[in-house]
Amino acid sequence: MIDVCDILDALRWHADVGCDEAIGDEPTDWAALTARPVGRAPSSGAPAAGAAPGTGMARGPSPTRAPAPAAPASARPAALFASPDQPLGASEAGIQARARAGEAQTLEALEAALRSFDGCPLKATAMNTVFADGNPQAPVMLIGEAPGEDEDRQGKPFVGVSGKLLDRMLAQIGLDRGKVYISNILPWRPPGNRSPTQAEIAACLPFLERHVELVRPKLLVALGGVSAKTLLNRAEGITRLRGQWKTYEVAGTAVPLMPMLHPAYLLRNPIAKREAWRDMLALQQRIGEEGIKYSED
Ligand code: URA
């Protein structure tokens, strides 16, 4: 007889290793699939990122997700997905993304282009494409890492516990979602909230870059290490980068960018809220220095 405790232990183990979503009715042996040649082998000799478990994690389409991908990732051309060690922008997915994003002249067109883009395997496991929240006319744009579970379910960035903390931090300096605009480096949730791979970032970054270009914010805030390192093309961690104004080039214009600690990090390390508070004050001061006025000011 099956012991219910064993089942619970197995469930817990799966959740701990990041398997927290059921994405198909039938189990798939991904190790067997990756052993099969599925297209051009990446030059590094690493398995194709579109098929390798633990890298791009491309999986079969979920019957519960809409819109369902046309075919399981293993049946897609493997070369579309970047290999994990390719430089950002060098993958075929990145090139396709840049072309599609570049065609978009409005945020609505960009969102539609992103929703129809199949170059990032995360889309197959995500419930929703998380594009943005807040006011696209706002002078301050915040960029996080990637949707978590709540964001994936609701289709909006920063609506879970770290989002609640972010809202409280913004409120401390008189801001709210009507006064800022929020997006993420990745529009799709990495399964189990694992860190995104370079290949996933490379495939999606052109959309975010175009997003910033269309919004033309006066100030940018990078929330967390993935966002700061990606936007600034730097290797240092967020604890080194945070707290100093940097610049991000948008269509020939240098936009001031403040790297800050991610609210999820602050929830795990409340002592670091001191630094976060300093960074929020630096943001408030810069808003004043830039002559940014909100209507009720
Ligand atoms: N963390 C992020 O970086 N972005 C979100 O949208 C939610 C949590």
Side-chain angles (χ1 to χ4, degrees):
M1 205 171 79
I2 299 172
D3 184 343
V4 87
C5 293
D6 289 345
I7 297 174
L8 283 174
D9 280 349
L11 263 178
R12 244 177 249 124
W13 181 84
H14 276 88
D16 287 348
V17 298
C19 307
D20 61 353
E21 294 280 340
I23 59 164
D25 291 335
E26 299 297 327
T28 305
D29 183 351
W30 293 101
L33 277 178
T34 53
R36 219 174 52 206
V38 289
R40 173 177 67 84
S43 53
S44 65
T55 55
M57 300 269 289
R59 303 191 214 157
S62 157
T64 58
R65 310 264 154 90
S74 55
R76 293 188 216 137
L80 181 63
F81 302 135
S83 88
D85 53 1
Q86 248 170 338
L88 290 185
S91 69
E92 196 176 313
I95 292 163
Q96 261 192 34
R98 191 159 303 285
R100 301 255 197 114
E103 282 166 12
Q105 301 303 318
T106 62
L107 288 177
E108 292 71 26
L110 185 69
E111 183 171 358
L114 180 63
R115 286 181 184 280
S116 67
F117 176 65
D118 289 323
C120 177
L122 290 177
K123 185 182 183 185
T125 51
M127 280 188 195
N128 270 304
T129 301
V130 177
F131 186 68
D133 192 26
N135 179 355
Q137 263 97 49
V140 179
M141 178 171 184
L142 295 96
I143 300 173
E145 176 178 324
E149 188 178 0
D150 294 305
E151 291 76 19
D152 186 34
R153 285 189 198 287
Q154 296 183 42
K156 276 190 187 178
F158 285 101
V159 291
V161 275
S162 57
K164 302 277 175 287
L165 176 57
L166 178 63
D167 287 343
R168 290 203 300 278
M169 290 162 65
L170 290 171
Q172 294 290 321
I173 59 164
L175 299 179
D176 58 33
R177 292 203 183 210
K179 294 177 178 164
V180 298
Y181 187 61
I182 308 178
S183 190
N184 279 311
I185 296 287
L186 289 178
W188 295 294
R189 180 194 183 208
N193 295 345
R194 65 160 169 76
S195 294
T197 65
Q198 285 298 100
E200 289 154 359
I201 294 173
C204 300
L205 190 58
F207 286 99
L208 196 259
E209 288 173 345
R210 183 72 182 140
H211 204 155
V212 178
E213 220 169 82
L214 290 170
V215 171
R216 294 272 181 136
K218 288 208 164 64
L219 298 174
L220 278 163
V221 174
L223 293 167
V226 169
S227 174
K229 288 198 271 188
T230 303
L231 294 171
L232 297 171
N233 197 18
R234 298 274 289 259
E236 301 100 302
I238 187 66
T239 47
R240 275 183 180 274
L241 293 172
R242 62 144 285 276
Q244 301 153 36
W245 286 100
K246 315 272 186 213
T247 52
Y248 177 83
E249 285 285 320
V250 186
T253 308
V255 179
L257 180 151
M258 173 59 84
M260 289 193 191
L261 297 170
H262 195 286
Y265 175 83
L266 298 174
L267 287 170
R268 292 191 305 271
N269 303 278
I271 193 87
K273 285 183 185 171
R274 268 189 314 208
E275 278 82 45
W277 175 232
R278 265 185 231 136
D279 299 347
M280 290 309 281
L281 290 177
L283 174 63
Q284 186 180 39
Q285 184 180 345
R286 189 74 185 241
I287 288 171
E289 285 167 4
E290 297 286 328
I292 295 168
K293 294 254 178 277
Y294 291 97
S295 45
E296 71 267 34
D297 286 353

